Amino acid sequence: MTEAGVEQKLSSGTNAPSIKMKGEKVSVHYGEKRALFDVDLDVRENQVTALIGPSGCGKSTFLRCLNRMNDTIDIARVSGKITLDGEDVYDPKIDVVELRARVGMVFQKPNPFPKSIYENVAYGPRIHGLARSKSELDGIVESSLKKAGLFNEVKDRLLESGTGLSGGQQQRLCIARAIAVSPEVILMDEPCSALDPIATARVEELIDELRQNYTIVIVTHSMQQAARVSQRTAMFHLGYLVEEGATDKMFTNPDDKRTQDYITGRFG
Amino acid sequence: MVGYLVVLLLVLAAAAYWIGRTRAIASVNGDVARLHSLPGQHGMFLALFAAGPALLAILLWSLVTPGIESSIIADRFSSELSGMGIPQVEAFIRDARAMAFGGLVGFADPTKEAAAAVYKSVHTTSTWIIWAVALVLSASGFYWAYSRIAQAYRARHVVERVLRAFLIACSVVAILTTIGIVLSLIFESLRFFQQVPFYKFLFGTHWSPQSAFTGAGAEAGAVNQDIFGMVPLFAGTLLITLIAMLVAAPIGLMAAIYLSDYASKSVRAVAKPVLEILAGIPTVVYGFFAALTVAPYFRGIGESLGLNVASESALAAGVVMGIMIIPFVSSLSDDVINAVPQSLRDGSAGLGATKSETIRKVVLPAALPGIVSAMLLAVSRAIGETMIVVMAAGLAANLTANPLEAVTTVTVQIVTLLVGDQEFDSAKTLAAFALGLVLFCITLTLNIVALRVVQKYREQYD
Amino acid sequence: MTDAISSFGAVGRPVSIHTDGAAKARLKGRYRTETWFKWLGAGAVALAGLFLVLLLSTIVTQAIPALRQNYLTLPIDLSAAKVDPAKLDEVNYDAIAQEALAARFPDVTSRQDRRLLRGLISTGTGVFLRKDIAADPGMLGGTVDYAVPVDDFADLYLKGLLADVGSDEAISTSVTPSKTSGDIDLTFGDDAMLALARGRGATEGENGMLTLTSGASSLLVVFNGGTVKLTALWPGPSGTAVAKGTVIEALDSTAPAASGQAFLRVIDTPEASRKISDKEIVWLDTLKSAGQIESRFNSIFFFTGASREPELAGVWGAVVGSFLTMIVTLAIAFPIGVSAAIYLEEFAPKNRLTTIIEVNINNLAAVPSIVFGLLGLAVFLNFFGMPRSAPVVGGMVLALMTLPIIIIASRASLRAVPPSIREAALGIGASKAQTVFHHVLPLAMPGIMTGTILGMAHALGETAPLLMIGMVAFIVDIPGGFTDPATILPVQIFMWADFPEAGFQQKTSAAILILLLFLVIMNAIAVILRRRFERRW
């Protein structure tokens, strides 16, 4: 157990879940500009961790570090250490493809591929070679869609284009697409920001259900959403991690003045 | 002579500008703020009316006089010309004009010299007429406009309205060009189809217009209709286009993919100019390269393999045309590939796909309509390309699918039929226009389809 | 901490599905595909680069020889007996130059050989001589050393492009001739020459007879101040070799040449497969070693008009034609194109007509250029009766072709001017026209100029439409005006590429280089304009 773990145990007082991912002194530079300052944050297994904070505070940047999506940005430079099950994900020995298979991602704007619903979900298992037969692939697609709570809505039109679905359905399709790869961690970057309230509620429900099997990190703009879906919350401001702790404590009795101000709507 | 007139009018316009300005200022005793329009606008107004109508008259005159003069000559010499066919009359007039004003003279004879003298005197008369007309127009325009200039006169509105009319006229030039193309192609093609039925032209499989006439002398009008079948030309064009696309499509597409997704900045800094240079090289240079380097090279390879490669093989022309089209394909594909939203690439990468998996399974399928339309535009370009095939492809219309043989194309035949001394009315030259019409229709259809597909595709992501 | 991970994941398979051995193996395969794909792309780019290098290097290597021309300096007799100063126009200057050349080789007597010898100098010699005498009458009255351009084949040979000639090698045995001229016998001190002839493609006959036909390399023996071409060899008595030969240049004497005094020159390319005979080669080599041949900068090529003779052909006429044509194109396409762009971008209401014009312009940009040629032929030449082959017509056709390019580029650059500029001007009460002409247009001008230059570069390289309006005619004179018959650089290239003479191949490449040079300059100006003035809003 690390110090953070011990501290966590003390503060929550219950049998804390083990730590799945861990960031130590994570800093990110975009060219000359520094976007993240020495962030230490743990992600606990089978819990939802919410990252909150005003725009441009670095929460999405941190999220994208967890599965090295920042690699796709030429000017981004990451320092510090991030581990997945104790392995440094920025270790040159670690393969980024394998990492992303284990740490899936759902994006802000639903981005289904311009393919059929079936093909969207089957894409991940196909490229990773997870299914040995057509029937096994069918099984993965069906169970993923079911877990994403989408199966009943689309079961009759699996071969229609994924871009034809409504926004909320598209986002759940993207979640199903991520689940189909059997990741261990799912990262969600403001998954509901482009959705209407009803679709948002549906996705939030889904996130809560998914917690049984996956570790989830979610970036959100909405404090209510963080309060509703997460067990733990981390507050970012201007690239610094301000405060981190159990969600109920954060929303009732935060340690930091800035957190207090933010959740009460004084800024952000 | 008329050149001096134009210069004179321009000088007059400059003077009118100054006069108009001065008068406008004088009309308010120097208190310029009381004028409705600026003094300069009054000057412009006066200049426009002093020179504009006269310049328009000169433009009109220079467009119509050659025709009028020719018809006067033809009329004056009708007895001498009565025995001749239309082409000979045209040649006669052409020579007479050349003798009168300088130019290439076919051959001279006394009648032509007489005609040239008449030409000269007619031309002198018409020049005097235009001088008079232009000066009268200029003076009256100046007088009218000068009398208008006053404190409250809205010279700016007039000037801006004329300007606007000029701008509209300029935009209409593009439409006039299209109309000109369509009308001239259709008109000449109709004359061709009067001599050769269009089904024989479109579906005939024999093409040898060099032996167009069955009879001779006075009977020379009888056209052998069976030698104007364009199927072999069309087949040849398609064969060369196919070879060109087999070269250009994969190389152009892969180059675009590599440059947009893989290449480092320094590689891109070298490769992009290389493609731009390839695109900027004139086609006649490619033609020279094809005829003098590539064709003999392929022939040599063929010989060493025991194959008989024609020295003007479709393969050489097609390959070089393919090289020419590579930058075209790659720049269009580049646009299309970059139009695929980054979110799709992120989505794929977020699932753990490698770069090539993302490209092959997400980007390319998503960009497919755009790529298809890029290829259509490239095909259209290849079909309309002229110089490479004129220099490197053959003249004989073989109906074959063997790339090692010589084939001919639509554009090659247009050039062959129209270059050199031809009478303009023969079935041969008219056939070139019929071929031009076919070429225009095919490329236009391909372009319209391609632009539609691209538009639909753009809408998908906008 | 790793022991805390649950070993079973979502779908009931081990979580390590992404990390187990099978996954690693799959990953390896995927990366192999990735590498392949990447190299395929790199290969495509490399191939495009290779094509460019191949094309340019072919043209440059062919063009370089054309930049120089060999001149032969001859003592030409311009005394009053030959050239009557009062009747300069009636003199046959060609004959005078040919006499001077014949006097240089008094041994050449047969009609056939005299004709061959005359062919060494250009057929344009007389014209040059007449012009130079007219310019400098001081040349008259005596014998002057005058440099005349050599004929194209002679020129190509002197540049080493027609035949491979080895250097002279000393013969390490004595050589004895039987006579000094005509067909003679040579006796070599040993039989080394026999083996050499065998190696050079001699035909083996009876009794060891070796015949050197025109299909074999030419063997020339140079000694006693003359040159003998060997035609046959056979073994002589006591280890010697005897050869039959034809004297090309007479020998001084029949004295035997000692070992090392005679030289063997081998022309590797057989006489039958080159376009220059042994005799011409010997004459040229003689002239060259006498210092009478000089390679000069090829001013004929750069500063004269076209010709059917490769050594007299120049590009200047075509350059001037291109220049005149481009002036017309620019004068028409630039104002009309920019005006149309201004109207469509700034003034036009969004209605059907505007849409039609826009679609029309886009389609016009993709119409094959040859169709514009057909338009020019049907409308400008036949309907309006304008002169054939004239730069004014060529310029109009190219202007119509370039118009869409200029309009599209100008519109893009007008669109790039931010609306705030227009609003600012309109806000202080400027009229729409004042706004556009005082504020928007000046800001858009660099972009418009760049587009125009690129459009003009495109027009400069265009060939096909100009073939249609007769600019392909063979025109020797330099055009002096817009209605004079003219040809243009790309068409000149096209015509020269079609001429069978080997000399034209180099000229064509050199003309291409000149064309490319103009294009490079225009593109460089466009790039500089873009760099200097382009603003990002």
Side-chain angles (χ1 to χ4, degrees):
Chain A
M1 278 290 155
T2 62
E3 277 181 13
V6 172
E7 193 183 272
Q8 176 60 36
K9 209 167 208 169
L10 293 174
S11 65
S12 69
T14 55
N15 191 13
S18 58
I19 291 170
K20 183 73 184 168
M21 295 191 80
K22 183 172 178 61
E24 288 173 72
K25 294 205 175 302
V26 179
S27 295
V28 176
H29 292 260
Y30 289 121
E32 292 295 302
K33 194 175 159 278
R34 191 167 182 184
L36 216 54
F37 297 84
D38 298 329
V39 171
D40 293 313
L41 184 66
D42 298 342
V43 174
R44 281 150 211 268
E45 184 149 29
N46 292 19
Q47 284 199 344
V48 177
T49 307
L51 311 183
I52 62 169
S55 324
C57 64
K59 55 192 191 300
S60 281
T61 302
F62 180 75
L63 188 79
R64 290 170 72 93
C65 289
L66 295 178
N67 73 341
R68 291 176 58 180
M69 277 307 280
N70 280 332
D71 287 12
T72 60
I73 301 165
D74 284 338
I75 54 165
R77 202 155 41 78
V78 180
S79 54
K81 189 175 176 189
I82 296 173
T83 57
L84 171 64
D85 292 342
E87 279 181 292
D88 185 356
V89 304
Y90 279 91
D91 187 322
K93 283 200 308 257
I94 289 288
D95 189 89
V96 69
V97 165
E98 185 192 308
L99 170 71
R100 287 178 191 159
R102 293 171 67 189
V103 184
M105 187 152 192
V106 174
F107 296 85
Q108 188 168 359
K109 213 178 127 209
N111 58 351
F113 302 134
K115 298 166 179 275
S116 71
I117 294 169
Y118 181 92
E119 285 300 324
N120 259 290
V121 182
Y123 177 77
R126 267 196 224 274
I127 58 170
H128 292 294
L130 298 184
R132 275 171 292 273
S133 67
K134 174 83 173 98
S135 57
E136 201 176 334
L137 188 62
D138 288 349
I140 296 176
V141 171
E142 187 179 330
S143 70
S144 306
L145 281 170
K146 275 183 176 153
K147 282 204 198 101
L150 192 61
F151 188 68
N152 287 332
E153 293 164 58
V154 300
K155 65 179 174 219
D156 299 326
R157 43 183 180 140
L158 285 177
L159 298 182
E160 284 173 30
S161 172
T163 50
L165 297 172
S166 73
Q169 287 173 325
Q170 283 189 13
Q171 195 60 296
R172 278 181 284 146
L173 177 62
C174 291
I175 293 172
R177 190 174 71 184
I179 294 171
V181 185
S182 307
E184 296 154 37
V185 182
I186 302 177
L187 310 177
M188 297 184 172
D189 190 355
E190 300 186 33
C192 301
S193 67
L195 306 183
D196 63 53
I198 296 169
T200 302
R202 189 72 197 76
V203 171
E204 283 178 9
E205 245 171 71
L206 175 59
I207 291 170
D208 202 47
E209 285 163 24
L210 290 175
R211 180 161 66 88
Q212 312 301 319
N213 297 316
Y214 306 94
T215 305
I216 293 173
V217 186
I218 180 171
V219 164
T220 178
H221 246 109
S222 151
M223 261 85 59
Q224 291 85 342
Q225 187 171 61
R228 283 193 298 266
V229 300
S230 70
Q231 284 73 52
R232 296 192 66 83
T233 300
M235 160 79 189
F236 283 74
H237 184 51
L238 298 176
Y240 291 93
L241 176 65
V242 172
E243 189 175 359
E244 185 258 351
T247 300
D248 37 12
K249 174 175 180 294
M250 285 278 283
F251 277 88
T252 49
N253 184 21
D255 290 338
D256 196 285
K257 174 84 167 57
R258 285 170 292 181
T259 314
Q260 173 101 45
D261 289 349
Y262 184 66
I263 59 179
T264 52
R266 257 172 236 163
F267 77 96
Chain B
M1 277 300 270
V2 180
Y4 295 123
L5 180 56
V6 172
V7 172
L8 176 67
L9 285 171
L10 292 180
V11 172
L12 280 180
Y17 175 81
W18 184 76
I19 295 170
R21 221 184 109 88
T22 318
R23 178 172 164 90
I25 295 171
S27 70
V28 288
N29 298 322
D31 184 4
V32 177
R34 281 173 54 214
L35 282 170
H36 169 271
S37 306
L38 293 172
Q41 286 158 345
H42 282 285
M44 218 116 85
F45 165 71
L46 192 59
L48 265 178
F49 278 86
L55 286 174
L56 277 181
I58 292 172
L59 184 68
L60 198 67
W61 173 85
S62 57
L63 285 180
V64 299
T65 37
I68 295 177
E69 288 173 0
S70 301
S71 65
I72 290 175
I73 301 296
D75 196 42
R76 225 35 103 72
F77 289 83
S78 55
S79 57
E80 284 88 340
L81 296 175
S82 58
M84 299 185 188
I86 295 170
Q88 284 95 326
V89 173
E90 277 183 359
F92 177 86
I93 289 174
R94 201 160 50 228
D95 278 356
R97 190 187 321 161
M99 286 155 84
F101 307 124
L104 288 183
V105 182
F107 61 93
D109 64 33
T111 329
K112 278 182 189 167
E113 274 164 26
V118 176
Y119 228 126
K120 256 190 179 148
S121 78
V122 169
H123 190 72
T124 314
T125 318
S126 90
T127 308
W128 279 116
I129 293 176
I130 190 61
W131 266 84
V133 169
L135 291 179
V136 167
L137 278 176
S138 174
S140 46
F142 180 84
Y143 177 75
W144 183 83
Y146 187 76
S147 63
R148 303 244 107 189
I149 293 177
Q151 177 256 323
Y153 188 68
R154 303 179 167 207
R156 197 190 82 213
H157 290 202
V158 179
V159 170
E160 286 185 0
R161 215 167 298 149
V162 170
L163 181 73
R164 206 181 161 98
F166 174 75
L167 294 182
I168 293 178
C170 287
S171 331
V172 170
V173 168
I175 288 202
L176 287 182
T177 308
T178 311
I179 294 176
I181 288 174
V182 171
L183 282 188
S184 58
L185 289 181
I186 288 182
F187 185 67
E188 307 294 350
S189 300
L190 283 181
R191 282 165 71 191
F192 173 69
F193 291 136
Q194 281 166 4
Q195 298 182 39
V196 178
F198 77 92
Y199 56 87
K200 283 197 173 170
F201 172 70
L202 278 184
F203 303 114
T205 55
H206 180 62
W207 176 270
S208 57
Q210 302 306 334
S211 49
F213 300 98
T214 48
E219 297 291 304
V223 173
N224 181 357
Q225 300 181 340
D226 292 325
I227 53 164
F228 286 105
M230 64 158 284
V231 170
L233 310 189
F234 195 63
T237 308
L238 286 187
L239 178 62
I240 289 181
T241 304
L242 179 73
I243 296 168
M245 290 309 292
L246 285 179
V247 173
I251 296 181
L253 186 58
M254 285 309 293
I257 291 171
Y258 183 77
L259 290 181
S260 69
D261 283 273
Y262 284 100
S264 66
K265 239 183 193 156
S266 53
V267 170
R268 224 171 297 163
V270 175
K272 288 241 162 157
V274 163
L275 288 172
E276 275 169 26
I277 295 172
L278 268 184
I281 290 177
T283 53
V284 68
V285 179
Y286 282 105
F288 178 72
F289 183 62
L292 276 106
T293 309
V294 179
Y297 179 67
F298 281 169
R299 204 177 145 79
I301 291 183
E303 262 168 19
S304 65
L305 295 175
L307 291 170
N308 189 17
V309 183
S311 59
E312 301 187 315
S313 63
L315 190 63
V319 166
V320 174
M321 193 188 279
I323 296 175
M324 182 203 86
I325 295 178
I326 289 172
F328 191 69
V329 172
S330 89
S331 96
L332 286 175
S333 307
D334 193 50
D335 290 350
V336 171
I337 289 170
N338 283 327
V340 173
Q342 184 63 30
S343 68
L344 288 186
R345 293 167 206 257
D346 284 351
S348 178
L351 292 171
T354 62
K355 231 173 192 177
S356 74
E357 283 163 352
T358 302
I359 293 166
R360 283 182 293 128
K361 295 179 176 162
V362 176
V363 176
L364 288 187
L368 194 63
I371 290 171
V372 167
S373 88
M375 295 304 167
L376 286 181
L377 287 174
V379 167
S380 151
R381 178 90 185 256
I383 289 179
E385 168 48 37
T386 309
M387 291 322 292
I388 294 175
V389 281
V390 166
M391 295 170 84
L395 288 175
N398 296 326
L399 191 51
T400 175
N402 181 355
L404 304 182
E405 278 182 45
V407 296
T408 191
T409 72
V410 174
T411 48
V412 169
Q413 288 305 315
I414 295 178
V415 170
T416 336
L417 291 174
L418 287 179
V419 168
D421 285 327
Q422 299 281 350
E423 285 100 24
F424 190 69
D425 265 22
S426 71
K428 265 161 53 176
T429 54
L430 294 179
F433 281 89
L435 289 177
L437 184 63
V438 171
L439 184 66
F440 180 72
C441 291
I442 294 174
T443 52
L444 188 70
T445 313
L446 282 172
N447 292 332
I448 290 178
V449 170
L451 289 180
R452 275 281 156 80
V453 173
V454 160
Q455 226 161 37
K456 280 272 149 64
Y457 163 75
R458 287 268 155 76
E459 281 163 11
Q460 189 187 330
Y461 292 119
D462 279 345
Chain C
M1 241 195 281
T2 39
D3 55 354
I5 304 169
S6 70
S7 54
F8 286 89
V11 205
R13 290 180 311 234
V15 168
S16 56
I17 185 163
H18 296 301
T19 47
D20 63 8
K24 297 279 187 219
R26 283 196 304 268
L27 202 60
K28 221 171 152 189
R30 288 167 69 191
Y31 273 121
R32 215 173 301 127
T33 318
E34 173 78 18
T35 316
W36 255 103
F37 191 75
K38 187 172 169 179
W39 280 109
L40 221 55
V45 174
L47 212 53
L50 179 75
F51 286 143
L52 181 68
V53 169
L54 210 62
L55 193 139
L56 290 183
S57 61
T58 308
I59 286 166
V60 169
T61 47
Q62 282 196 351
I64 285 172
L67 300 181
R68 299 192 79 78
Q69 160 78 27
N70 286 292
Y71 282 77
L72 169 61
T73 308
L74 286 172
I76 292 185
D77 182 7
L78 296 176
S79 61
K82 297 273 185 186
V83 184
D84 182 351
K87 296 177 183 166
L88 283 178
D89 284 348
E90 290 166 25
V91 180
N92 184 347
Y93 294 99
D94 279 313
I96 293 176
Q98 283 158 8
E99 274 168 36
L101 183 60
R104 176 69 178 75
F105 292 98
D107 302 337
V108 179
T109 47
S110 77
R111 278 174 68 91
Q112 219 185 336
D113 286 352
R114 298 281 296 251
R115 192 181 310 140
L116 208 54
L117 183 60
R118 281 204 298 273
L120 287 184
I121 57 174
S122 166
T123 50
T125 302
V127 179
F128 288 113
L129 193 52
R130 180 206 306 260
K131 248 198 299 194
D132 286 342
I133 289 175
D136 176 20
M139 287 167 73
L140 291 175
T143 302
V144 290
D145 278 341
Y146 184 74
V148 302
V150 301
D151 186 60
D152 59 322
F153 286 118
D155 188 48
L156 287 176
Y157 166 72
L158 289 167
K159 286 168 181 167
L161 296 169
L162 275 190
D164 294 328
V165 182
S167 57
D168 292 3
E169 278 173 44
I171 298 172
S172 56
T173 182
S174 65
V175 183
T176 318
S178 62
K179 288 191 292 178
T180 55
S181 64
D183 289 333
I184 63 169
D185 286 343
L186 294 179
T187 312
F188 294 96
D190 63 24
D191 60 357
M193 197 56 71
L194 293 175
L196 197 138
R198 260 187 218 105
R200 294 295 179 168
T203 326
E204 199 103 29
E206 278 174 48
N207 303 331
M209 183 81 164
L210 293 168
T211 320
L212 288 158
T213 60
S214 62
S217 303
S218 297
L219 302 184
L220 306 173
V221 180
V222 184
F223 69 110
N224 289 4
T227 309
V228 180
K229 184 195 174 189
L230 304 187
T231 52
L233 295 107
W234 61 90
S238 59
T240 60
V242 185
K244 207 180 253 318
T246 314
V247 176
I248 296 182
E249 275 183 302
L251 309 177
D252 300 336
S253 69
T254 54
S259 168
Q261 293 297 307
F263 297 88
L264 178 70
R265 180 181 302 171
V266 180
I267 304 172
D268 292 326
T269 322
E271 193 167 16
S273 44
R274 59 181 134 91
K275 287 174 177 153
I276 188 161
S277 67
D278 290 331
K279 284 177 182 162
E280 289 168 288
I281 289 180
V282 169
W283 291 329
L284 286 169
D285 287 348
T286 306
L287 289 169
K288 190 166 188 180
S289 53
Q292 276 177 280
I293 285 179
E294 181 194 2
S295 167
R296 295 188 189 171
F297 171 72
N298 194 348
S299 57
I300 299 176
F301 175 71
F302 287 98
F303 301 114
T304 65
S307 168
R308 275 295 331 208
E309 298 297 325
E311 76 275 10
L312 299 177
V315 287
W316 185 240
V319 169
V320 172
S322 270
F323 183 69
L324 292 172
T325 308
M326 285 300 114
I327 288 179
V328 175
T329 304
L330 185 65
I332 296 175
F334 182 69
I336 295 186
V338 176
S339 304
I342 290 174
Y343 178 72
L344 292 173
E345 202 57 43
E346 303 288 338
F347 290 96
K350 284 270 162 257
N351 59 19
R352 269 183 78 88
L353 180 69
T354 317
T355 321
I356 289 175
I357 294 178
E358 278 172 13
V359 171
N360 181 39
I361 287 169
N362 285 334
N363 281 322
L364 214 50
V367 168
S369 61
I370 193 170
V371 172
F372 284 95
L374 291 174
L375 170 78
L377 174 60
V379 175
F380 296 144
L381 294 192
N382 288 317
F383 190 72
F384 287 125
M386 298 175 97
R388 267 175 88 82
S389 316
V392 63
V393 181
M396 284 164 74
V397 169
L398 290 182
L400 293 184
M401 206 189 76
T402 322
L403 204 53
I405 302 178
I406 295 184
I407 295 179
I408 292 170
S410 303
R411 289 191 65 177
S413 124
L414 285 169
R415 208 174 304 143
V417 177
S420 60
I421 304 266
R422 293 178 184 83
E423 283 155 14
L426 290 173
I428 54 167
S431 71
K432 183 82 196 169
Q434 284 167 334
T435 307
V436 171
F437 285 92
H438 296 171
H439 299 283
V440 180
L441 193 55
L443 289 173
M445 220 42 186
I448 293 177
M449 301 278 278
T450 309
T452 306
I453 293 171
L454 294 179
M456 294 299 292
H458 180 76
L460 180 62
E462 194 54 70
T463 320
L466 301 165
L467 300 182
M468 303 287 94
I469 55 157
M471 291 196 98
V472 69
F474 177 69
I475 292 150
V476 179
D477 295 328
I478 312 285
F482 293 111
T483 51
D484 285 359
T487 190
I488 57 161
L489 210 39
V491 176
Q492 187 74 78
I493 291 166
F494 166 63
M495 286 194 286
W496 280 352
D498 232 21
F499 286 163
E501 287 89 349
F504 272 118
Q505 202 170 322
Q506 277 83 38
K507 304 273 161 175
T508 314
S509 295
I512 287 176
L513 268 197
I514 293 176
L515 178 63
L516 291 182
L517 186 73
F518 281 127
L519 292 178
V520 166
I521 292 172
M522 290 171 85
N523 280 286
I525 294 174
V527 168
I528 290 169
L529 265 180
R530 199 182 303 170
R531 293 258 166 87
R532 282 286 300 274
F533 296 106
E534 194 178 53
R535 272 186 226 200
R536 297 231 166 260
W537 302 98

